[in-house]
Amino acid sequence: MPIATVDPATGETLKTFDALDDGDVERRIAVAAAAYTHHRTTSFEKRSALLNRAADLLDEDRDAIARTMTTEMGKPVTAARAEAAKCAKAMRWYAERAAGLLADEHPDEADVHDSGASRAVVRYRPLGVVLAVMPWNFPLWQVVRFAAPALMAGNTGLLKHASNVPQTALYLEDLFRRAGYPEGCFQTLLVGSGAVEGILRDPRVAAATLTGSEPAGRAVAAVAGDEIKRTVLELGGSDPFIVMPSADLDRAVATAVTARVQNNGQSCIAAKRFIVHEDVHDAFRDRFTAAMRELRVGDPMDESTDVGPLATEQGRADLEELVDDAVGHGAEATCGGRRPPGAERGWYYEPTVLTGVTEAMRIHREEAFGPVATLYRVAGPEEAVALANDTPFGLSSNAWTRDRAEQELFSRDIEAGGVFFNGMTASHPALPFGGVKRSGYGRELSGHGIREFCNITTLWHGEE
């Protein structure tokens, strides 16, 4: 894939970039390694000041960077502005809390003496240069939720961003530079995916984090495993959205629409499979279909647009294949299921609801990365759990019920990194984020996320 900005609303290539050559990559890794030797020894106060400054600059740049993101990957500009604001919030969260999250831990005194020590401390130390391989769907947020904790922990970062968001990637490097970070603390590498293996195998690169597709995760994990380097992987998701009879149906429907079409439906944690109890299934189906049909599809720069184009032409083609396969095997599209009439330019696709989905259909197993919802009918909570878990993914989940026994059942038995009750799955700096099964491993955000790229060190002292 060329490194280029291609406007998804028109299909027009706006700007192309040359990939870095091997010499350029070598120099940038060397600079990152050199920067780490100094950054690792800076105080939390100094790191906090730098990250807070970056947050302030991002707030100032919010409108401009939002338009850049929308131009590069098609999300509604209103959502892009919200993404930028969320990033600044996360920066400030880590700037204020990192020192406490990484404070020395003191084991119980009796255990210390039992180990033969006069004193012992557990300390969190940085690992070194961390490579981040990031996707296009949240081109600012995905990077910041890695960069903010990694930099606060004392690491330095190398960003290999998706090839269709190069201007956003370069903006991020410039943002940290303008905030006052020393040269090499955070750099963008404009390279293709073929360059990732060589970078990860470089002995100066200590670890990697990847958000992206399952094949990309397998490739990075294989190389990192061969090199015995730590990784965090956040891969695909096919999140269930369970609705039981005790749910507030009006709120559930309204949330379901947002949960399915957020970011034009291109979100790993978007609700994709709607599992509804038979007692409320028909009412939910009718209201959900009507609300999806009413969404405004159009120019993502228009403030009134609900759903913009898909980010890439191939992404739309993949989505069309899944829908066509489902309909060909007997599913019914109660709305959508096609490109909008008259949309001759751009990679638009109508919000779609599919009913009658069965195991024979690819969409039952594969992630639909676009505004397409699958709707299922179940007879009870146990059947809902079985269907929720009938997927190779396990990123997050939603359950709408006010029944405490059902909540306990779902909390215990749903196989996912999160269960959100009576609300929409969302990431927040204070809450750990990540999945199980083929959705990956490791955690981002919260204290768990900042410690992923730390050397958890035992300091043991004998008699002194």
Side-chain angles (χ1 to χ4, degrees), residues 96-433:
E96 295 168 4
R97 292 169 174 80
L101 295 172
L102 299 180
D104 286 353
E105 295 179 3
H106 300 275
D108 183 90
E109 187 173 345
D111 291 329
V112 171
H113 291 160
D114 189 59
S115 76
S118 61
R119 59 190 176 97
V121 176
V122 177
R123 180 164 296 170
Y124 295 95
R125 300 187 295 166
L127 285 179
V129 180
V130 180
L131 171 66
V133 182
M134 294 287 111
W136 47 260
N137 57 333
F138 292 95
L140 211 63
W141 170 241
Q142 302 280 13
V143 178
V144 166
R145 75 184 193 191
F146 136 75
L151 290 169
M152 282 304 301
N155 298 296
T156 57
L158 293 171
L159 169 64
K160 189 283 180 216
H161 218 324
S163 293
N164 60 327
V165 291
Q167 293 186 68
T168 305
L170 291 171
Y171 167 80
L172 284 156
E173 179 179 298
D174 183 63
L175 174 68
F176 289 112
R177 179 190 59 77
R178 287 186 289 132
Y181 280 89
E183 182 184 10
C185 279
F186 185 94
Q187 299 175 87
T188 288
L189 304 178
L190 290 185
V191 295
S193 58
V196 170
E197 178 174 350
I199 297 167
L200 185 51
R201 289 193 185 277
D202 191 293
R204 293 165 294 184
V205 175
T209 179
L210 177 142
T211 299
S213 68
E214 186 181 334
R218 288 178 186 273
V220 165
V223 174
D226 190 49
E227 295 290 336
I228 315 179
K229 293 183 179 181
R230 187 176 302 179
T231 53
V232 170
L233 302 181
E234 192 262 279
L235 308 178
S238 190
D239 289 6
F241 189 105
I242 299 170
V243 182
M244 300 302 290
S246 65
D248 180 329
L249 204 58
D250 290 336
R251 287 183 55 227
V253 169
T255 304
V257 173
T258 302
R260 178 61 288 230
V261 303
Q262 62 174 316
N263 208 48
N264 303 338
Q266 300 164 124
S267 171
C268 295
I269 58 169
K272 300 184 175 77
R273 298 176 297 132
F274 295 82
I275 300 168
V276 185
H277 192 280
E278 59 189 8
D279 289 354
V280 292
H281 175 276
D282 291 355
F284 179 91
R285 178 199 59 207
D286 294 346
R287 296 186 200 180
F288 183 47
T289 297
M292 290 281 277
R293 189 182 289 120
E294 291 172 2
L295 293 170
R296 179 171 179 176
V297 180
D299 181 359
M301 289 294 184
D302 188 328
E303 299 283 335
S304 64
T305 290
D306 297 309
V307 180
L310 298 187
T312 67
E313 189 172 18
Q314 185 61 53
R316 182 177 65 177
D318 292 343
L319 192 68
E320 287 176 324
E321 284 187 11
L322 287 178
V323 173
D324 291 348
D325 172 80
V327 172
H329 283 85
E332 177 189 357
T334 58
C335 69
R338 61 178 183 172
R339 302 178 185 186
E344 298 176 358
R345 298 203 312 161
W347 301 313
Y348 294 93
Y349 197 79
E350 288 188 347
T352 300
V353 177
L354 294 176
T355 62
V357 176
T358 69
E359 294 183 2
M361 302 168 190
R362 288 175 52 199
I363 202 167
H364 180 74
R365 295 285 180 188
E366 299 179 31
E367 179 180 21
F369 218 57
V372 175
T374 55
L375 183 59
Y376 299 83
R377 182 194 301 265
V378 293
E382 291 80 8
E383 186 180 351
V385 168
L387 187 53
N389 292 340
D390 188 22
T391 172
F393 301 108
L395 192 53
S396 191
S397 60
N398 305 259
W400 286 75
T401 175
R402 289 179 281 198
D403 185 304
R404 293 299 177 88
E406 289 176 349
Q407 290 181 3
E408 181 57 33
L409 174 71
F410 296 148
S411 298
R412 186 191 69 196
D413 291 347
I414 291 177
E415 298 167 350
V419 184
F420 284 67
F421 290 102
N422 302 318
M424 190 177 80
T425 294
S427 54
H428 185 281
L431 302 175
F433 180 83

Side-chain angles (χ1 to χ4, degrees), residues 30-62:
V31 171
Y36 169 67
T37 63
H38 301 289
H39 186 61
R40 66 185 294 272
T41 64
T42 57
S43 67
F44 281 110
E45 290 77 12
K46 173 65 174 176
R47 296 176 202 168
S48 177
L50 290 170
L51 195 57
N52 274 319
R53 176 57 179 155
D56 291 343
L57 291 171
L58 180 54
D59 278 339
E60 294 172 10
D61 298 341
R62 185 182 303 166

